[in-house]
Amino acid sequence: DEIIRLVADMLKRLTRPGDLFGRFGGEEFLFVLVDTDENDVRAYAERIRSEIARRGEIMKARFHDLDLTVSIGVTLYQPNFKSYADMIEAADQAMYRAKTSGRNRVVLFNEIPPGTPYAASRRRHED
């Protein structure tokens, strides 16, 4: 719980006015960024990733030498999404890809090859 609060405080400081974020699951956060293109969202996600990793290194002894890192999945609005759930699923698949390809990284949904079998239900059982 302490780590979740620490991460939430960092995210709050790194989020622009007008953007939204909230806890979406046990250890998951969901962001909604306005007026943000692919380059901006990648830079924002990388800033979050590197800040959490940096803070984790500073606090490593406090957390019994556990690594504090984050895997971030990103999607941008696409006209073929039929609902918000489709967008969330796409971001979830990208996050799963970030976790399975080494963790502590950012993956955009459009970087996942079409037909790659990443299922959110599989990921949830592995956490």
Side-chain angles (χ1 to χ4, degrees), residues 32-103:
V32 177
L33 308 177
V34 296
D35 297 324
T36 306
D37 64 17
E38 184 174 325
N39 292 328
D40 291 341
V41 76
R42 183 185 298 280
Y44 175 73
E46 281 294 341
R47 191 168 63 244
I48 288 171
R49 189 203 57 74
S50 65
E51 179 62 21
I52 289 172
R54 186 187 70 76
R55 181 68 60 93
E57 281 299 313
I58 292 168
M59 302 181 77
K60 201 167 194 167
R62 181 177 174 186
F63 295 114
H64 310 291
D65 289 327
L66 294 174
D67 288 330
L68 178 58
T69 62
V70 64
S71 299
I72 300 176
V74 176
T75 191
L76 299 170
Y77 170 78
Q78 297 175 18
N80 63 327
F81 289 142
K82 294 180 175 75
S83 67
Y84 293 122
D86 288 349
M87 287 181 63
I88 293 169
E89 174 64 21
D92 204 46
Q93 288 180 20
M95 181 181 64
Y96 184 74
R97 178 65 179 255
K99 285 182 174 186
T100 61
S101 58
R103 299 183 178 262

Side-chain angles (χ1 to χ4, degrees), residues 1-47:
D1 287 343
E2 183 180 357
I3 292 173
I4 296 292
R5 283 192 296 276
L6 176 75
V7 169
D9 288 342
M10 280 190 280
L11 297 176
K12 188 175 183 179
R13 281 194 331 273
L14 294 170
T15 302
R16 305 174 301 188
D19 291 338
L20 305 170
F21 87 94
R23 191 168 173 189
F24 189 68
E27 299 175 347
E28 296 178 3
F29 291 87
L30 179 69
F31 294 82
V32 177
L33 308 177
V34 296
D35 297 324
T36 306
D37 64 17
E38 184 174 325
N39 292 328
D40 291 341
V41 76
R42 183 185 298 280
Y44 175 73
E46 281 294 341
R47 191 168 63 244

